[in-house]
């Protein structure tokens, strides 16, 4: 068989030609787009494709747009290209509205384009890449999964959930492997306990096998997600099979996420694929590098230094080995909007305050009678005075029995420091965080929190707390300084889901709901907690309390090591 990808101007890659400027951008003023689809016997599926094309034209009204199908539906890709030429296009990007590149993409559509290129030699035709696992595609997948979670009567930790990805299945192992990659990206990025992959046809395991495997893993919940663009015969079969499976295991909660469908981000990606094709830019695997672009669950690792984790011991020329390299051991999968440690942990680290800080605390020590408070509470209370400038603040602070000890265990165990807002994060002492190799997390500004808040009708701060519960379980300290709703969400999860953070610091400021949430937290006997009475508080106070706990931990360790 002739290799359709061997020409010097490869239509699959959209390689550059002499018509490309030194900047990499085409010097031609405009181009047309042909959206190429597979086609379906299912009228609803074809209708969804056509509706997507209409939405695309509305989004990019100045671009000549046509669409065509490989089989089962009209118009054909040949007819779509000819119609685009009639609209005046002199260069055309043929963009496959296809998720993964298998035989249709690698053989069938390129053959169509080569035939049309010979038929119209004066028209510059370029073939765009498929959607693939583009970051925007991952974001849409995440939305569909969150929507499925939101349809349930109860919330379940994601660590107790198994995600089942249903792929189309092809004879192309590369395309099939991408479904596994998708499953892993979503599992780790969203914090699921496990993921499995199955296919609706051609490839193994099939849907029935995949569902039984997920059931055998023993998770409380299964979420199925069909990795398809539009509905069709296969989607109907998948839905029926999932319903039959759920009826066979009534004790197991099975949620069905929707296929992708038309979405503004998909339109945006199709247009990007078109411009890439016209400009001769090859889409490489680097497009999913977490250091180069925002990936679900790793948004804030863009631009961070890439540090080797494999070279624990290096060999010398004579075959001997050097001492193990002191490499960070944090879990980079947390990808919080966070301060990733930049130094190895230093067990002998000492906190040395600035001379002005020393003088301030001498003044605070002499400013009131501290003997009325337990000695172990002094560090927290005095630092709150330092932050607020108010000697009366300690009288309203409540520290439950065992709270300080639990916090110190959390620091030793490298628990994640979760905050309701980034202002609390910003107040942490970086020297301490980095020296102890602690990780901080605030999801309030993440797309995931935004979408969850919208679907669940909760605040983004509350959504960020729920995400922390889903992703990290009990291995957290909560430091809430701004949002009463975040405190209430934490208490609800503690009471209904048996969440057991090491410590809950709930000290928001304000007048609406503030006092009520603090009263509930104070009487929540299931977790160690630090709060206060009244309307005072705020992000600086929450940061101060956590800083005080870390300083206290460091000083106690220093005494033990001397």
């Amino acid at each position: 068989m002739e290799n359709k990808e061997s020409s010097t101007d490869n239509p699959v890659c959209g390689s550059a030609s002499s018509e490309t400027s030194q900047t990499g951008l085409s010097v031609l003023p405009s181009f047309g787009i042909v959206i190429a689809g597979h086609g379906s016997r299912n009228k609803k599926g074809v209708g969804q494709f056509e509706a997507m094309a209409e939405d695309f034209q509305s989004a990019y009204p100045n671009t000549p747009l046509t669409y065509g199908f490989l089989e089962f539906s009209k118009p054909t890709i040949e007819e779509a290209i000819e119609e685009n030429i009639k609209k005046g296009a002199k260069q055309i990007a043929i963009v496959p509205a296809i998720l993964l590149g298998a035989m249709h993409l690698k053989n069938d559509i390129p053959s169509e384009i080569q035939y049309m290129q010979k038929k119209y030699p004066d028209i510059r035709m370029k073939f765009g890449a498929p959607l693939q696992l583009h970051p925007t595609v991952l974001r849409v997948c995440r939305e569909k999964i969150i929507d499925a979670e939101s349809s349930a009567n109860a919330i379940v930790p994601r660590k107790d959930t198994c995600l089942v990805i249903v792929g189309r299945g092809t004879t192309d192992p590369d395309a099939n492997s991408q479904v596994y990659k998708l499953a892993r990206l979503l599992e780790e990025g969203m914090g699921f306990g496990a993921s499995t992959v199955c296919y609706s046809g051609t490839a193994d395991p099939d849907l029935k096998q995949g569902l039984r495997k997920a059931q055998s893993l023993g998770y409380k919940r299964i979420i199925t997600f069909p990795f398809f663009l539009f509905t069709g015969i296969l989607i109907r079969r998948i839905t029926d099979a999932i319903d039959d499976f759920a009826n066979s295991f009534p004790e197991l909660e099975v949620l069905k996420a929707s296929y992708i469908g038309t979405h503004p981000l998909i339109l945006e990606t199709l247009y990007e694929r078109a411009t890439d094709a016209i400009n001769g830019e090859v889409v490489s695997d680097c497009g999913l590098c977490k250091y180069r672009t925002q990936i679900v669950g790793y948004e804030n690792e863009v631009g961070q230094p890439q540090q080797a984790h494999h070279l624990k011991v290096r060999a010398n020329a004579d075959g001997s080995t050097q001492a193990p390299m002191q490499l960070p051991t944090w879990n980079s999968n947390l990808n919080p909007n966070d301060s990733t440690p930049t130094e190895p942990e230093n067990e002998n680290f000492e906190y040395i305050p600035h001379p002005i800080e020393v003088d301030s605390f001498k003044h605070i020590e002499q400013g009131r009678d501290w003997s009325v408070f337990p000695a172990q509470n002094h560090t927290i209370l005095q630092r709150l005075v330092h932050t607020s400038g108010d000697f009366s603040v300690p009288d309203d602070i409540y520290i439950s029995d065992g709270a300080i000890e639990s916090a110190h265990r959390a620091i030793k165990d490298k628990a994640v420091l979760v905050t309701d807002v980034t202002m609390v994060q910003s107040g942490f002492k970086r020297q301490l965080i980095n020296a102890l190799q602690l990780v901080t997390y605030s999801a309030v500004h993440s797309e995931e929190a935004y979408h969850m808040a919208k679907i669940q009708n909760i605040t983004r701060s509350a959504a960020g707390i729920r995400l922390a519960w889903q992703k990290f379980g009990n291995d957290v300290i909560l430091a809430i300084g701004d949002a009463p709703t975040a405190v209430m969400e934490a208490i609800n999860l503690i009471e209904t889901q048996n969440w057991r953070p090491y410590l809950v610091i709930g000290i928001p400021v304000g007048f609406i709901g503030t006092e009520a949430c603090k009263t509930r937290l104070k009487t929540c006997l299931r977790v160690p907690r630090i709060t206060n009475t009244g309307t005072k508080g705020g992000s600086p106070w929450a940061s101060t309390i956590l800083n005080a706990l870390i300083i206290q931990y460091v000083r106690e360790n220093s005494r033990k090591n001397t």
Side-chain angles (χ1 to χ4, degrees):
M1 179 182 294
E2 180 185 356
N3 183 355
K4 301 298 183 181
E5 300 174 8
S6 61
S7 65
T8 56
D9 190 13
N10 188 341
V12 175
C13 297
S15 56
S17 71
S18 59
E19 296 170 306
T20 304
S21 70
Q22 292 180 349
T23 63
L25 296 177
S26 170
V27 298
L28 297 174
S30 63
F31 60 92
I33 297 177
V34 171
I35 301 179
H38 177 269
S40 173
R41 296 184 181 92
N42 183 281
K43 292 182 179 180
K44 185 176 180 181
V46 174
Q48 290 177 348
F49 184 98
E50 292 171 341
M52 179 198 69
E54 292 176 3
D55 290 344
F56 192 102
Q57 186 67 85
S58 298
Y60 304 97
N62 297 323
T63 301
L65 177 75
T66 55
Y67 62 87
F69 302 97
L70 269 176
E71 56 185 354
F72 302 134
S73 308
K74 298 280 282 184
T76 64
I77 293 175
E78 177 182 353
E79 291 169 339
I81 292 174
E82 289 183 334
E83 183 182 351
N84 213 277
I85 294 172
K86 290 177 182 177
K87 290 185 175 184
K90 298 299 182 184
Q91 54 177 350
I92 300 174
I94 297 90
V95 181
I98 294 173
L99 288 170
L100 300 174
M103 299 305 289
H104 289 313
L105 184 109
K106 296 177 180 179
N107 291 322
D108 299 330
I109 300 179
S111 297
E112 295 263 352
I113 296 172
Q114 287 190 336
Y115 168 75
M116 295 301 291
Q117 185 67 81
K118 292 177 181 178
K119 187 174 181 180
Y120 297 96
D122 295 333
I123 304 298
R124 183 172 180 261
M125 299 181 193
K126 289 291 186 176
F127 188 23
L131 290 166
Q132 298 173 318
L133 302 187
H134 191 284
T136 56
V137 174
L138 296 180
R139 288 160 62 188
V140 178
C141 294
R142 178 176 62 187
E143 281 190 19
K144 300 301 179 182
I145 294 168
I146 292 175
D147 290 346
E149 286 179 322
S150 302
S151 68
N153 295 325
I155 52 176
V156 172
R158 284 184 179 161
K159 66 181 179 62
D160 294 331
T161 301
C162 179
L163 178 66
V164 178
I165 305 292
V166 186
R168 168 64 179 83
T170 75
T171 57
D172 188 308
D174 181 41
N176 292 336
S177 71
Q178 291 297 308
V179 184
Y180 278 89
K181 186 173 183 178
L182 170 69
R184 194 70 194 185
L185 286 166
L186 292 173
E187 175 193 332
E188 295 192 18
M190 297 185 72
F192 289 107
S195 63
T196 64
V197 168
C198 53
Y199 302 94
S200 62
T202 308
D204 289 325
D206 62 23
L207 180 57
K208 191 173 294 185
Q209 293 169 327
L211 291 171
R212 289 302 299 268
K213 178 181 177 181
Q215 181 269 334
S216 69
L217 295 176
Y219 286 88
K220 294 180 180 179
R221 170 183 285 173
I222 290 175
I223 298 178
T224 62
F225 172 59
F227 189 50
F228 287 69
L229 265 183
F230 302 113
T231 191
I233 295 173
L234 292 179
I235 289 293
R236 187 177 70 244
R237 291 175 182 171
I238 291 168
T239 300
D240 291 344
I242 294 170
D243 289 340
D244 290 342
F245 170 79
N247 291 334
S248 300
F249 297 93
E251 74 284 359
L252 178 63
E253 184 180 23
V254 181
L255 302 180
K256 293 181 292 188
S258 171
Y259 52 85
I260 291 173
T262 298
H263 192 286
L265 289 175
I266 298 299
L267 303 182
E268 178 184 311
T269 307
L270 288 172
Y271 189 79
E272 179 183 321
R273 294 300 195 219
T275 56
D276 286 347
I278 292 297
N279 294 330
E281 298 174 1
V282 177
V283 178
S284 68
D285 290 338
C286 295
L288 276 175
C289 174
K290 66 181 179 179
Y291 299 109
R292 295 182 60 170
T293 190
Q294 290 191 337
I295 301 298
V296 168
Y298 301 89
E299 287 86 351
N300 273 59
E301 295 196 29
V302 174
Q304 288 189 355
Q306 294 169 247
Q307 302 178 14
H309 286 66
H310 299 294
L311 302 178
K312 295 288 186 180
V313 178
R314 284 181 173 173
N316 294 320
D318 60 2
S320 63
T321 58
Q322 300 174 354
M325 297 176 63
Q326 296 299 312
L327 292 172
T329 57
W330 69 88
N331 180 359
S332 63
N333 291 339
L334 298 180
N335 172 44
N337 299 306
D338 83 23
S339 66
T340 303
T342 56
E343 310 171 14
E345 180 180 359
N346 183 352
E347 295 181 356
N348 299 318
F349 171 77
E350 293 184 22
Y351 176 68
I352 302 175
H354 190 277
I356 295 176
E357 184 178 332
V358 173
D359 290 342
S360 294
F361 278 92
K362 286 181 181 178
H363 178 78
I364 291 170
E365 181 71 39
Q366 299 166 0
R368 66 167 292 166
D369 178 13
W370 293 99
S371 65
V372 298
F373 304 107
Q376 65 178 355
N377 295 357
H378 287 186
T379 301
I380 293 173
L381 299 178
Q382 289 179 0
R383 287 197 165 269
L384 283 171
V385 170
H386 185 249
T387 295
S388 65
D390 185 349
F391 277 100
S392 69
V393 164
D395 298 320
D396 295 324
I397 299 298
Y398 172 79
I399 302 175
S400 72
D401 292 341
I404 293 174
E405 293 82 357
S406 185
H408 290 177
R409 284 198 305 274
I411 296 166
K412 182 179 180 181
D413 293 344
K414 301 293 185 291
V416 182
L417 310 182
V418 175
T419 71
D420 61 327
V421 292
T422 53
M423 188 177 291
V424 179
Q425 245 184 341
S426 299
F428 294 153
K429 288 184 177 291
R430 294 295 128 194
Q431 181 188 19
L432 296 171
I433 297 295
N434 291 340
L436 296 177
Q437 220 180 66
L438 299 173
V439 175
T440 70
Y441 175 87
S442 177
V444 66
H445 296 303
S446 70
E447 288 186 0
E448 193 168 5
Y450 178 84
H451 189 67
M452 178 181 286
K454 182 179 178 181
I455 294 295
Q456 296 283 354
N457 194 28
I458 58 178
T459 67
R460 283 185 293 160
S461 297
I465 296 299
R466 186 178 297 185
L467 285 169
W469 163 68
Q470 290 182 322
K471 293 188 176 187
F472 311 128
N474 296 337
D475 298 328
V476 297
I477 292 178
L478 303 185
I480 300 171
D482 180 78
T485 57
V487 176
M488 298 299 275
E489 179 68 19
I491 295 170
N492 289 336
L493 292 170
I494 289 165
E495 293 179 348
T496 65
Q497 303 298 323
N498 295 316
W499 195 20
R500 295 296 183 266
Y502 281 94
L503 173 68
V504 179
I505 300 168
I507 201 157
V509 64
F511 301 98
I512 308 301
T514 304
E515 293 179 276
C517 80
K518 293 175 181 178
T519 299
R520 273 197 69 186
L521 179 59
K522 186 176 181 180
T523 58
C524 182
L525 305 180
R526 303 183 186 188
V527 291
R529 56 214 180 276
I530 298 176
T531 186
N532 69 332
T533 57
T535 59
K536 293 182 179 180
S539 296
W541 288 27
S543 303
T544 293
I545 292 171
L546 198 45
N547 286 334
L549 290 165
I550 297 174
I551 290 170
Q552 194 174 15
Y553 170 83
V554 168
R555 286 175 173 167
E556 289 185 5
N557 269 11
S558 296
R559 286 194 292 270
K560 291 176 183 178
N561 294 330
T562 56

